[in-house]
Structures are given as C-alpha cells and as structure tokens.
Amino acid sequence: MASPLALVLTVFLVAPIVMIVIVSFWGATEFSIYPAFQFDNYAFLFGSEVTYRVFLNTFKYAGITWVFTLLIGFTVAYFLAFHVRSLKWQIALFLLCTIPFWTSNIIRMISWIPFLGRNGLANSTLISWGVVDEPLEWLLFSDFSVILAFVHLYTLFMVVPIFNTMMRIDKSLIEAATDAGATGWQTLWHVVIPLTKPGIMIGTIFVVTLVMGDFITVRFMSGSQSANVGRMIQNDIGLLQYPSASATAVILLVTVLMVIGLLLRLVDIRKEL
Amino acid sequence: MTTIPKIRYSRRSILKSGGAAVAAAALPAPMVWGQAIKDVTLRQFGTGVSNLNEVAAKVKEDLGFTLEMTALDSDSVTQRAATQPDSFDIADIEYWICKKVWPTGNLQAMDTSKIANYDKIVGTFRSGKLTPESVIAQGTAPHTVGFTSGPNGKDFVQEESGWMTLIPTIYNADTLGIRPDLIGRPISNWSELLNPEFKGKASILDISSIGIMDMAMVVESMGEYTYPDKGNMTKEEIDLTLGIFTEAKKAGQFRAFWKSFSESVELMASGEVVIQSMWSPAITAVRSQGIPCVYQPLEEGYRSWGGGIGLSAALSGIELDAAYEYINWYLSGWVGGFLMRQGYYSAVPETSKNFMTEDEWGFWFEGKAAQGDITNPFGDVMEIAGAVRDGGSFYDRMGAVACWNAVMDENQYMVRKWNEFIAA
C-alpha cells in the first residue's frame, strides 16, 4: 500500500527536485528557455571564479552564524533546563523565547536597519556615552549586520532541540557526577554536552541549511553589497535565466546534503534520540 | 474601420475646461459601437510607473470600457511581451524593451492617421529632435525604435513612416540625487559619485540595464574614457566600466545598492547615503518628509527614459477600436496632467496643460517658481510657494539628455559582469 506520506513527498518534494535537475541542463535565450541536454550551465558555473568566492562567502556566513547560535542557544537552553526549577516557569520562559516569531522574520530583520544606521539608535547611544566620536560605519550594510541578523533570526532553532534533549537528561546523572567530585565545568563537559549532542546536531542542521539557503537577509542587511549562493540564484531568476539558476540550485543542494551527511557521521541521531 | 465616438469624454472635458473643446471638435466620429463598447475589457500590463488604478477608473468613467492593469518588473514585462502575446491587449513598455520585443512580431503597428494628436507629440518621439537644433543622444533613443515600415513591419525605420511601434506616454530625465545639507558644496558633475570625499556615502541602483548607463556617465565625466556609444558597449568597454566601479566598491565607496524605489528613499532620508542614482518621484518622497534633497542637474546632462503603449498583434475588431480610442484619450490630456503633476512628462504636453492649474503648469513644465502650494495628484503637498523645479523647464531638462536607457548587443555578457560586480 502506497502510504499517503510517500505520495505527498513524491509530488511535492521529489518531483520538483527532479524538475530542477532536468531544467539545469536546458538552454536559455534572453527571454525563453528550451529543452536540451548540455553542460553549459555547469561549465559556466565551475569556470567562474565568482562562483567559488560566493560559495566560500556562504560557508563563512553559515560557519560564523553556527558558532554564535550554538553558544547563545546552548546557554539559554542550559539555563531553562537546569537553572529554572519549576516546570511552569520553564514553559513560560520557553514561550517567551518564541514571541518574536509572532512577526514575520523579514520585519524582524528590517527593523535592525534603522537601529544600526549611521544616525540610528545604536550609534547615537554610543556617541552620547562617549564610547565613539564618529558613527560606526560597519554596524550596517556589512558582514557584521548580516551575521547579526542571522543570529537573531535563527538562535531559537538551536534553543528548541537542545532544550528538548536537555530535558530528557536524567537529573540523577548530574547528581552522580557531583557526588563523584566533578566540578561544574567537568560535569558540563563530560556529562551534559555528550548527552545533548543529538539536540546540538539537529539545531546545527536547522541553522546551517537555513543560512545556506537564505537570500533575502543577505540582500537587505548587506545593502546588496555581498552575495551568497541564494542571491546568485535570485539574480538568475530575475534575468529569466532559469536553467542557470537551476544548475546553481543543484550544486547548492548537493553541497548542503554533503554537509549534512558529514554532520550525521559525527553523531548518530537515531541511536541517541 | 471607423473610430468610436468621443462624445462621452469630450462632454466631460468641456465641463472641466473650455480648452478641451478644441480637442472635441478635432475628433468628430460617427456613433457606431455605442453600447457594445461597454462590454469590452482591455488587458494592459507594464511596469508600475504608469500602471495606475486612477487611470483605469478614469477610463471606465470617460470611455465606458474596462481596463485591467497588471504591474510587473521590467524583466517580467519583457518576457511576457516577447513570449505570451495572447496574455495582453496593451503593453505598457519602455522603448529599450520595445527594441527587444518588436522583432518577435507580438505587437502590431499603429496607424498614425488614427491618432488625433499625433502632430502634437513631442519631437523627441518623432524626428528624435526636441527642437530643430537638438542633438540626438546616445543609447536607444525612442524615435529609432518608434517607427516601422508598414502595417506588418518587423523592422525599425528612422523616418516618420506613419506606422508607430509604441505611442509615447511617459518619460523623464534622470540624474543623481543629493543631500545638499550633508554635502554643503555645489555638485555639478557625474564624477562626484566616485569622489572619495563621499566614501561610504554613495549608492547606485542594482538594476543592470539602467545602472550601467549611470556608470558610463560617471566614467566619461571622470575623463577615464569616452564611449563611441554608451548605449551599445563592446565587451572591453563593459569590462573597463565595471572594473572602475569594482575598484571603487572594494575601496568602500558605496554604502549600499538599491533595487526598489522605497530603498532609495530610505537610504537618502536616513542620511546613510548623500549622493546616489535616483528617480524623480523618490526625490519628492524624501522632500515630503521635510528632508532637503535635490535632483541635481549635471554638466554632462541627463540619462533619459521613455515609455509607450503598444498593441498586441492579436487585437482586432471592436477591441482594436477601443484600444485606439484609449490611445487618443491617453493623449488628450487627463493622464498627461496626472503624470506631470508627479514630475514626469507627457507626450503631448499642450493637451495636459488643460488639466493643470496655471501654477502647476508653470512649476512642472516651465520651471517657474511656484505661486502657492504644489500638490501631487493624491493631494499631498509637495512644494511650497517660491520653490523651483530642479533642472528648470521642460526644454532645459529634456534638451540636455546625454543618453537614453538602452539594450546592448552584448547584454548577456554585461549582465554576467554585473553579477560579478555585485559579488565582488
């Protein structure tokens, strides 16, 4: 019996991807695309130095964002799971974390722009405190603002899975570690972190795939001055170069799958869940 | 084929202004379609500039038939005009898009003898010369793609052949916008965009076909290179132009690039940027916030653009007649007045005059100081008494056009290089 799930996945996931792969071999004129089987799109992609730079930039954003979301996400989850004692407060504080998600992520992102601008709140505060004399230019339309927005948008995707795994840790294990004379740091490093690995890994997959597939955050927060793979695809679509966009999308998909494959080799999520 | 009666809108025009009576007298026509025309629906699509719901509402009121408007970005407009001729009746496109689309045969030539105000259309769109002394600018000048050889022509001819590809509707001269309060000295050349004085405070638009023209104006102004034709660069010229700008980008000259109208307004209003490529209504949007902003006339002249409406090749019968009636109505003044009060120009300015107050006409067209408040068509005050339009009169501005928006033979190469510039 073909399960409904298999059917849904075939129609809405597998078929579109197959279509993208097919179109990536097609050809394009200035305003039309025509069926063909040619490697032009890939040849151009791999032949251009820009492609490598853009992919490198995409990895850079993913890497730095991952470090920050992990540090913040882990800390928040740790606080919620181990420092907040009552379940009621845990739930209340956890829900508090999700409140920003009541607004669209584009609005949350764009609201940084007036805040970080040359005459924005951040700069005027810093100047009035005497920290700086001139407004800081790098606060907005820079890699800093892009990564800041990413961290802001995606930290919760780290908090939730880590918090979830932490809640399953048997508290007696922590007590046992303390009884055996472990310091707080030793308990954290040898007990909590190994047991939270599956949560960390799930959060990592969320953050890495979201950042690598993004185009809108990079466009707005860098003032269109930086590029990642998503923007490359968006530009191609804007110029009606669908086959070229598809080829880039296929390469991006393969790259992301390879990254996830690598991550899953490090931690066996199924075994540890 | 006869034309359709102009009675309904003429009567209105007379009520509004005696001057329009002349137009009514010029358009005598027998009542043929009468009621049937009310059932006609024309589908128009184009870029947002002139696809205004107010126009559709006024068409319903004056002409009786329905005009459906679809606004798209210029890439989609080009694609649709070129590949889906059955999806529209009227294409509202720019002249450089026409250069790409006309050879596909999806639009039909228009008989100028059916256009009542044809003789009053500004010279720029007919002979190419605004005044007999004018020099024709580089790029895709509208008259070079404005005429075809006959009813079934797929070519462009350089003389007024009696068969038009597009009927001009709206155009303007673009230049750099500046914040005079933050710059504090006169700006008179395009080269100022790359002046290190404005490091981190400049911007350019991220729409390749228009951005490249602004860049060319800057490169020429810097004295780096003089293009034989800015509107049709060779690969080497494209490399040179984008090379200069890539270097500037790496040196931190630009604060951001903008793609949408509102982004350009925000960059300027917030003071992030003090000099950038800009469009006329964006300047007024900044100014209406009480922030000084000037559409700076520059010595090298303006980069100009023009739009027009074309008829789908599939249009025939009563729909075709309705379309001609629409075109005649378009040029008869109401739309022109509506557009001119936003800072654009109409193809037949003298008819628009009847739909503007003397003060509005003096301010927008003649470059005179405003006598009282100048409001836009939506009633917002844009300028107060004493204000003068940047760049002066129509003839000062449109007479100083240095190049037109264009599509190059090496367009695909240019687009690729543009993407590299953005990623650099």
Side-chain angles (χ1 to χ4, degrees), chain A residues 46-257:
Chain A
F46 288 113
S48 166
E49 174 245 349
V50 173
T51 311
Y52 298 99
R53 215 165 49 218
V54 167
F55 266 87
L56 199 70
N57 211 26
T58 310
F59 276 112
K60 183 184 82 184
Y61 285 144
I64 300 176
T65 308
W66 176 74
V67 169
F68 282 100
T69 51
L70 178 61
L71 287 177
I72 300 170
F74 187 87
T75 314
V76 171
Y78 187 85
F79 174 79
L80 284 178
F82 295 111
H83 280 260
V84 181
R85 296 289 171 184
S86 88
L87 187 66
K88 198 166 71 185
W89 274 106
Q90 275 178 335
I91 292 170
L93 289 173
F94 182 75
L95 286 179
L96 203 64
C97 291
T98 65
I99 284 181
F101 280 73
W102 294 359
T103 57
S104 129
N105 67 345
I106 293 184
I107 291 174
R108 273 179 292 145
M109 178 180 78
I110 289 179
S111 54
W112 280 109
I113 294 178
F115 181 80
L116 295 173
R118 184 175 287 136
N119 306 310
L121 208 57
N123 267 322
S124 46
T125 310
L126 286 175
I127 290 172
S128 72
W129 284 353
V131 181
V132 291
D133 300 325
E134 290 281 305
L136 298 173
E137 299 281 325
W138 53 263
L139 283 183
L140 185 58
F141 301 138
S142 58
D143 281 350
F144 169 80
S145 57
V146 173
I147 287 164
L148 180 74
F150 274 140
V151 171
H152 172 217
L153 293 176
Y154 299 141
T155 295
L156 191 73
F157 291 96
M158 214 43 129
V159 174
V160 175
I162 296 178
F163 176 66
N164 187 39
T165 40
M166 278 181 177
M167 290 300 282
R168 293 158 185 240
I169 295 175
D170 192 343
K171 293 286 189 298
S172 55
L173 289 174
I174 313 264
E175 283 167 26
T178 315
D179 290 348
T183 63
W185 285 110
Q186 280 173 327
T187 315
L188 181 71
W189 190 252
H190 295 289
V191 181
V192 178
I193 290 182
L195 289 172
T196 349
K197 261 190 192 167
I200 293 174
M201 207 45 67
I202 293 170
T204 302
I205 291 171
F206 276 143
V207 170
V208 168
T209 50
L210 283 168
V211 173
M212 291 193 71
D214 173 274
F215 65 94
I216 201 87
T217 309
V218 175
R219 158 147 146 61
F220 279 110
M221 298 310 288
S222 77
S224 292
Q225 296 219 76
S226 306
N228 67 346
V229 183
R231 285 210 66 207
M232 227 157 79
I233 297 172
Q234 188 202 15
N235 281 343
D236 275 338
I237 291 174
L239 298 161
L240 311 171
Q241 303 294 313
Y242 292 107
S244 160
S246 302
T248 315
V250 169
I251 300 298
L252 178 63
L253 184 66
V254 171
T255 314
V256 172
L257 286 177

Side-chain angles (χ1 to χ4, degrees), chain A residues 252-269:
Chain A
L252 178 63
L253 184 66
V254 171
T255 314
V256 172
L257 286 177
M258 272 161 39
V259 170
I260 291 174
L262 204 70
L263 291 173
L264 291 179
R265 289 195 73 131
L266 295 177
V267 177
D268 186 345
I269 294 183

